[in-house]
Amino acid sequence: MLPGVGVFGIGSTARVLVPLLKAEGFEVHALWGRSEEEARCLAEELGIPFHTSRSDDVLLHQDVDLVCIYVPPSMTRQIAVKALGIGKNVVCEKAATAVDSFKMVTAARYYPQLLSIMGNTLRFLPAFVAMRQLLVEGYVGEVQVCDVRVYGPSLLDQSYGWTCEELMGGGGLHTVGSAIIDLLSFLTGARAQRVHGLLRTFVQQNVSIRGIRRVTSDDFCFFQMLMGGTVSSSGGVCCTVTLNFNMPGSFVHEVMVVGSSGRLVVRGTELFGQNNGSKGEELLLGDSGWAGPEVREMPLPHLQGLSAMVKSLRQSFQAHEERRSWARGPVAMAPTFEDGLYVQTVVEAVKRSSCTGEWECVEVMSQEPDPNHNLCEALQRNKN
């Protein structure tokens, strides 16, 4: 039996997610929006029977057993932790800080019987699933280098909001880079040990954002990662990632993995490969096509990945008769809250590196920092 679903968010992801859920047999019972009017409009458009601007109304809804959270990063932790505490399964986007991510990890560990996964849909894209399998089978030999390029139009909303604020989780690094960081870990089986990065905000004002307001979120980011050794790489992997969101009207999404005996590259949704002895690339997995609605704000790799993730969720819950029970197998490739904490740690290390100009170590926190740490140190110094 499939669980009833409650969706948090009224953005492009929610607009695509709800029809996908319904197509797989899920019933979407409730929708949350920032205002009653926004929630009502989208609920009527998507045929959702209940809408609200109060998060508890969705979390306590008797027919909701699975919560999908696609809200601004600063709100994710509060809703996700409360949902798990109430006994709901959770699929959510990234949090705003590593501390928020750690609190989500703590909640997930406390309720291990509940589903708690991050919504990085790139892991489910068939091209990346196939690429990972070929890497495990040794198609490229020893993995040496990963090179990623993502170019596209501005990520800013039409009006001033969280996407403009770096501290609220806006910017290319946090919005898109976090998915790439997680994807590279998924593909290589390794995690970053040291990082070096550069962030820039080239568009600080535009027609709708002007006056005393300034955009602080990055629209260009370049960073390098030195990742630990993997099953197919004894000496670690060197990764370079370039994110540029100053290219209106175009979208480039390319992930290349180079090894000692060949390379694999995903361009958009297609997988290509070439061995060192061959004359050229060969198409290993073509585009399966997209029959759903086109969404300008959501590139095709993410659209197809989202669709594949929803199918995996259906398979996971369909394996049990109890609505809240789920099978781990179909969603085994999904990133956990622990993966989300690692990703957020890397993001913050890249931001530090951009400020210092130095290589920064990636150290995932094992306990929540004391909020009064600085005050305690100051009191101790005064006492001495």
Side-chain angles (χ1 to χ4, degrees):
M1 182 180 293
L2 296 178
V5 182
V7 175
F8 284 83
I10 55 172
S12 57
T13 302
R15 290 177 180 274
V16 177
L17 177 64
V18 171
L20 290 175
L21 287 167
K22 290 184 175 182
E24 291 299 323
F26 289 94
E27 292 187 19
V28 181
H29 292 285
L31 175 73
W32 175 92
R34 288 171 295 182
S35 70
E36 285 286 344
E37 180 63 19
E38 289 177 320
R40 182 188 64 79
C41 290
L42 187 58
E44 290 179 355
E45 177 185 332
L46 299 178
I48 301 173
F50 178 79
H51 66 271
T52 182
S53 60
R54 290 163 46 91
S55 60
D56 286 356
D57 291 346
V58 176
L59 295 177
L60 296 174
H61 196 291
Q62 62 179 359
D63 295 322
V64 170
D65 294 301
L66 171 63
V67 174
C68 299
I69 307 170
Y70 291 90
V71 297
S74 59
M75 302 174 62
T76 299
R77 184 266 305 168
Q78 179 182 2
I79 298 173
V81 170
K82 184 179 287 189
L84 289 170
I86 293 173
K88 310 293 186 181
N89 297 293
V90 174
V91 177
C92 71
E93 276 288 352
K94 51 204 159 286
T97 67
V99 173
D100 279 356
S101 297
F102 185 82
K103 292 178 179 179
M104 291 166 57
V105 168
T106 302
R109 289 173 178 170
Y110 198 77
Y111 303 102
Q113 74 278 12
L114 295 173
L115 176 77
S116 55
I117 61 175
M118 306 299 295
N120 181 15
T121 59
L122 290 179
R123 285 196 182 206
F124 291 88
L125 185 69
F128 289 124
V129 175
M131 174 185 268
R132 183 172 185 259
Q133 183 60 37
L134 288 171
L135 290 173
V136 172
E137 294 172 358
Y139 183 95
V140 304
E142 181 179 346
V143 178
Q144 299 168 336
V145 174
C146 296
D147 184 70
V148 181
R149 297 185 304 130
V150 182
Y151 303 155
S154 173
L155 299 174
L156 300 177
D157 290 332
Q158 294 299 315
S159 59
Y160 190 85
W162 71 269
T163 58
C164 305
E165 287 284 350
E166 181 265 333
L167 292 177
M168 295 185 68
L173 173 61
H174 197 278
T175 305
V176 178
S178 58
I180 297 300
I181 293 167
D182 176 70
L183 176 65
L184 292 176
S185 179
F186 170 71
L187 293 173
T188 65
R191 287 190 167 186
Q193 297 175 339
R194 293 194 300 150
V195 298
H196 188 276
L198 173 70
L199 281 73
R200 287 290 183 268
T201 305
F202 289 110
V203 179
Q204 298 184 12
Q205 289 188 317
N206 58 27
V207 175
S208 57
I209 303 170
R210 51 187 177 178
I212 62 172
R213 287 177 166 171
R214 291 286 192 279
V215 176
T216 60
S217 57
D218 62 282
D219 53 26
F220 174 83
C221 177
F222 170 82
F223 63 95
Q224 300 165 291
M225 299 189 295
L226 295 179
M227 305 182 76
T230 69
V231 292
S232 58
S233 173
S234 58
V237 183
C238 301
C239 300
T240 62
V241 180
T242 305
L243 311 172
N244 186 355
F245 299 100
N246 295 288
M247 298 177 62
S250 63
F251 180 75
V252 174
H253 195 284
E254 180 177 292
V255 178
M256 180 183 298
V257 180
V258 181
S260 57
S261 60
R263 63 186 172 92
L264 291 165
V265 56
V266 172
R267 297 189 184 95
T269 59
E270 296 182 323
L271 173 64
F272 299 86
Q274 181 175 356
N275 293 315
N276 287 349
S278 60
K279 295 182 179 180
E281 287 184 345
E282 60 175 327
L283 177 64
L284 301 177
L285 184 66
D287 185 1
S288 58
W290 173 248
E294 296 294 333
V295 181
R296 183 179 61 85
E297 297 86 355
M298 185 179 290
L300 192 56
H302 292 273
L303 275 173
Q304 292 192 4
L306 182 62
S307 176
M309 185 186 76
V310 172
K311 285 182 170 62
S312 296
L313 284 172
R314 192 239 320 143
Q315 295 167 0
S316 176
F317 285 104
Q318 212 170 36
H320 292 267
E321 293 187 4
E322 214 283 319
R323 289 191 309 174
R324 295 188 183 182
S325 298
W326 55 285
R328 190 171 302 276
V331 292
M333 71 178 73
T336 63
F337 280 12
E338 284 85 355
D339 293 322
L341 173 59
Y342 156 73
V343 168
Q344 190 59 41
T345 303
V346 175
V347 167
E348 294 184 4
V350 172
K351 290 181 179 180
R352 290 198 307 273
S353 175
S354 183
C355 293
T356 64
E358 304 289 338
W359 282 87
E360 296 285 341
C361 292
V362 177
E363 298 177 354
V364 179
M365 67 175 66
S366 57
Q367 61 182 22
E368 187 176 345
D370 183 358
N372 297 318
H373 176 71
N374 293 334
L375 176 61
C376 293
E377 283 190 342
L379 292 173
Q380 188 66 37
R381 286 195 299 268
N382 291 337
K383 186 184 295 185
N384 295 334

